[in-house]
């Protein structure tokens, strides 16, 4: 593994890689600074760009969008109390008050430095842990892999937004859609209903853009236009952040980084929960908790360090087990698959140097992040004033154009529209589509592992998985317990932070 890491460092230190990371960071911050335009939507629409690039350019580009978007949401959250992304909701507790006190510049710089500190620390932890976890994953056979994927899918359904039953329904639909096309073991066509376009399966790219990007666009279109923010009313005022002020928050940043890193390794939880937990922990540990919510720099630092610390660790389950950590890493799965890199236990063994190169590129992204963020904060502050009516039609065009240029198939546009309408209807009915996407991506791996287990069991699958393979038996036994605990914890957090005020 160490040799792969050294080779990966050499691969990552390329000028073109840094340029594409910078481009991704800039676009991510731009979209994150637009209230109502999510990082998820940006990644889904920009996904096709990565397909035409070298893996060391395309995937770091998307990672740049990912990192930039999460931070970018803090800009409107601090300046106008309008979180650009869900991960920045907790930042609105103190950010706007600091702006009203003439400390908007301090708040933005604290958000930037806390974000980078939390992000780069969690990335280093990711690089340290990913090798040993991948080595353990390689020791697992088909029964253990099938049990872990089943556990992950059920936990993701339990912790997704909305009712647990709704999450399970979306998961079942996703697993069914994954079965359309060829059987992964016998290569027999099924559920294609005579349609030659889906005999090899439903195309991944139009499905991802459809369920993640189009519903966000449709919801923004139907919303009543918010009050237009004039550029002259939006000023970054006050002194720059001082070292003493940042130093005072270092303990809080460290605590939030630990919280975000831990949450990032658990599939299905994500940045929003991490930000709220980091903020609550900082307030509880503070000697002056009454200042929180009234303009406390420590509150901004706690929320931003926690939500950005999630970014790196979400790649641990993705790269070692092939399980996306959240809906944003679902988009990254699409990029990996399109590049011929199927995430899972064999990826580190077969392409370890390339994987480490991508992880090292994440460190580089943070170093570029602080430079671009520091220089461009005044520009991104003005982005808040851009009218949605200018951007929404352009975004819709990009969604269709990206789908078309991938394979130039009219059928793909039909798939895009179908899943866009499906995702919109699901959103209106408060169904989270994340379990559907997870089921669609992990379904073939689950089926293949399950099929291999049947072949190895000589016709007695239950006896084989429960008695001959004790690890898979343990995983299956703890699945309902972990699911219940994760569901209860998720419900408590949502109830606790339902009213951010």
């Amino acid at each position: 593994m160490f040799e792969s890491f050294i080779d990966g460092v050499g691969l990552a230190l390329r000028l073109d890689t840094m340029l594409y990371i910078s481009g991704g960071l800039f676009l991510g911050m731009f979209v994150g600074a637009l209230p109502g335009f999510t990082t998820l939507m940006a990644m889904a629409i920009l996904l096709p760009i990565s397909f035409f690039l070298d893996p060391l350019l395309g995937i770091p580009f998307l990672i740049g969008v990912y990192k930039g978007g999460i931070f970018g949401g803090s800009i409107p959250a601090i300046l106008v109390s309008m979180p650009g992304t869900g991960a920045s909701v907790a930042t609105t507790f103190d950010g706007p008050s600091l702006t009203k006190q003439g400390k908007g510049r301090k708040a933005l710089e604290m958000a930037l430095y806390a974000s980078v500190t939390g992000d780069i620390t969690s990335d280093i932890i990711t690089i340290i842990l990913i090798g040993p976890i991948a080595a353990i994953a390689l020791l697992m056979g088909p029964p253990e892999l099938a049990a872990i994927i089943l556990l992950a899918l059920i936990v993701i359904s339990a912790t997704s937004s909305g009712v647990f039953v709704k999450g399970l329904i979306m998961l079942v639909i996703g697993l069914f859609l994954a079965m359309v096309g060829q059987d992964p073991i016998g290569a027999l066509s099924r559920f294609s209903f005579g349609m030659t376009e889906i005999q090899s399966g439903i195309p991944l790219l139009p499905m991802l853009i459809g369920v993640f990007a189009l519903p966000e666009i449709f919801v923004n279109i139907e919303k009543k236009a918010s009050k237009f923010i004039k550029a002259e009313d939006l000023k970054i005022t006050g002194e720059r952040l001082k070292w003493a002020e940042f130093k005072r928050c270092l303990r809080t940043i460290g605590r939030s980084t630990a919280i975000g890193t831990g949450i990032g390794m658990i599939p299905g939880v994500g940045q929003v929960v991490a930000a709220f937990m980091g903020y609550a922990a900082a307030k509880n540990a503070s000697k002056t908790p009454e200042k929180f919510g009234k303009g406390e720099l420590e509150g901004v630092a706690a929320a931003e360090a926690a939500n950005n610390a999630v970014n790196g660790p979400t790649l641990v389950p993705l790269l070692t087990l092939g399980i996306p950590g959240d809906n944003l890493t679902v988009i990254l799965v699409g990029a990996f698959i399109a590049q011929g890199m199927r995430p899972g236990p064999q990826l580190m063994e077969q392409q370890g140097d390339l994987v480490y190169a991508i992880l090292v590129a994440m460190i580089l992204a943070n170093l570029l992040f602080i430079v671009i963020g520091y220089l461009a904060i005044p520009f991104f502050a003005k982005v808040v004033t851009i009218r949605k009516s200018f951007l929404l039609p352009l975004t819709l065009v990009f969604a269709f154009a990206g789908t078309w240029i991938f394979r130039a198939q009219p059928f793909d546009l039909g798939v895009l529209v179908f899943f866009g309408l499906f995702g919109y209807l699901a959103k209106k009915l408060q169904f989270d589509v994340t379990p559907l996407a997870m089921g669609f991506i992990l379904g073939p791996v689950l089926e293949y592992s399950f099929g291999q287990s049947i072949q190895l069991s000589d016709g007695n699958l239950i006896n084989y998985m429960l008695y001959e393979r004790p690890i898979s038996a343990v995983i299956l036994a703890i699945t309902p317990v972990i699911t219940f605990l994760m569901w209860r914890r998720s419900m408590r957090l949502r109830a606790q932070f339902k009213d951010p005020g």
Side-chain angles (χ1 to χ4, degrees), residues 122-147:
S122 67
D123 287 348
I124 293 171
I125 294 172
T126 299
I127 292 175
I128 293 171
L129 292 180
I130 204 161
I133 293 176
I136 294 172
L138 282 171
L139 299 176
M140 297 188 304
E144 291 78 20
L145 185 58

Side-chain angles (χ1 to χ4, degrees), residues 427-449:
K427 198 174 187 69
K428 300 297 286 186
L429 296 175
Q430 297 184 329
F431 280 79
D432 189 349
V433 296
T434 302
L436 179 145
M438 298 284 194
F440 182 79
I441 288 173
L442 294 177
V445 183
L446 175 63
E447 185 179 4
Y448 185 71
S449 300

